[in-house]
Amino acid sequence: MVTEIKENRMPVSCPGFQDYDILFESGFDKLAKSCRALSEQERKVCIITDTNVEKLYGTAVKEALEKEFKEVYFIAFPAGESNKNLETVQKLYTFLIEHKLGRKDLLVALGGGVVGDVTGFTAATYQRGLDFVQVPTTLLSQVDSSIGGKTGVDFTGYKNMVGAFYMPKLVYMNTDVLKTLPAREFACGMAEVLKEALIKDGSFYGWLINSLYEIDDQEPETMKILLYNCCRIKKQVVENDPKEAGERALLNFGHTIGHAIEKAKDFELLHGECVALGCVAAAFISYQRQMLTFDEYYEIRDMFVPFNLPITVRDIDPENILALTKSDKKVEGSKIKFVLLKKIGKGVIDTSVTDEEILAGIKEIYVSEDDLRE
Ligand code: GLY
């Protein structure tokens, strides 16, 4: 069921972890006081961001935090998934040591999914853990990666292979930041939005279809409803299953084939674009198993198009993509934990998907040179 924003605070309570709030605010004005309220102690703050976000919000966020904290440090690492690695984490450790940050101090992750994952992992491991706050600045990180405490880095080309479940103390969503988001980044966020609706909420999916033009125009009230409902879905999933023993794996819908394409393309395509491709392939497999009708499959496939997301891919070797799906983390023993759609709004985890089915899904989205000549 689609809900309006009832209040600007959404508490998240994951068993075995500390509770925290997601705040929905316009602007960064309330960030400093919200961070200050986390602890009575005087503490140093270090903002960690990337070189893109630094240009947009670096000064504003630093100045805002300086109103409440005496010592605010700032470090930006080069933007991009290729920097989500241990080398970046090592540079951050060095910076924190040089500025004498300790366990009682606070890190602020200002940026998209890469910044959040890297900062969260740094927070989880530096001196065995210090507090961190997520300030997500992309649609993708606001609807997905900033909530639920998954932190980590890629390792020798394997996505998110090294990491920790480590919850933020606060997620501060400035709903105004989406205005400055490049179109390609916005599209990538929409891939995760559609994914969440497809696996968990058919009525939200229907609302997304009906709100297509308003979303495309980024109409502020529509975007707030979109954000709030995605956070509601994500919150429910991570509260039920914080460490991905079961239900949380549904959030990997589209990610098994998506991650394989991301790796094969050497990160030339963005994460959300690969997720869109993976969702189409997984919906096709669901259709082949007669879990979805042909019309439902086509509607899902076509829903990615108005959001400028790819539904076909060139220059890949389907057999190679199949092989790469096996090296993903979502493999238990020799079985891939594949997410299919039982119906629109209901994802299911299935370990019986065969290589032939996966290959058929990959071929469904693959456009070969022969196809192009025809
Ligand atoms: N982004 C997937 C998850 O949080 O589990």
Side-chain angles (χ1 to χ4, degrees), residues 21 36 41 58 155 167 263 306-307 312 324 374:
D21 287 337
R36 172 55 73 222
Q41 278 185 314
F155 187 72
M167 299 297 158
K263 188 175 175 194
F307 296 113
T312 56
L324 287 171
E374 276 165 16

Side-chain angles (χ1 to χ4, degrees), residues 16-79:
F17 294 96
Q18 280 193 8
D19 297 351
Y20 58 96
D21 287 337
I22 304 171
L23 295 184
F24 301 89
E25 297 290 355
S26 177
F28 288 116
D29 294 352
K30 304 223 172 87
L31 176 64
K33 280 209 159 49
S34 312
C35 288
R36 172 55 73 222
L38 296 173
S39 164
E40 308 220 310
Q41 278 185 314
E42 186 52 47
R43 51 191 353 195
K44 294 180 189 174
V45 177
C46 181
I47 302 163
I48 299 180
T49 190
D50 70 25
T51 43
N52 287 345
V53 180
E54 175 185 20
K55 288 183 210 116
L56 291 168
Y57 304 118
T59 309
V61 170
K62 188 163 185 289
E63 285 177 1
L65 286 167
E66 279 167 346
K67 293 197 178 114
E68 289 288 336
F69 296 92
K70 282 199 205 97
E71 281 182 81
V72 180
Y73 300 100
F74 186 96
I75 179 165
F77 62 85

Side-chain angles (χ1 to χ4, degrees), residues 117 140 143-150 160 165 192 195-196 234 237-238 241-242 244 247-253 255 271:
D117 284 9
L140 188 147
V143 298
D144 189 16
S145 60
S146 65
I147 306 160
K150 270 193 183 176
N160 302 327
F165 286 102
E192 301 283 2
K195 173 205 81 176
E196 285 179 9
K234 179 86 198 240
V237 175
V238 299
D241 178 22
E244 203 170 299
E247 180 186 349
R248 185 166 181 170
L250 292 177
L251 293 166
N252 297 330
F253 179 60
H255 283 59
H271 177 69

Side-chain angles (χ1 to χ4, degrees), residues 140 183-193 270-273 309:
L140 188 147
R184 201 172 165 201
E185 291 285 350
F186 184 80
C188 284
M190 282 310 298
E192 301 283 2
V193 172
L270 298 180
H271 177 69
E273 293 165 340
L309 287 160

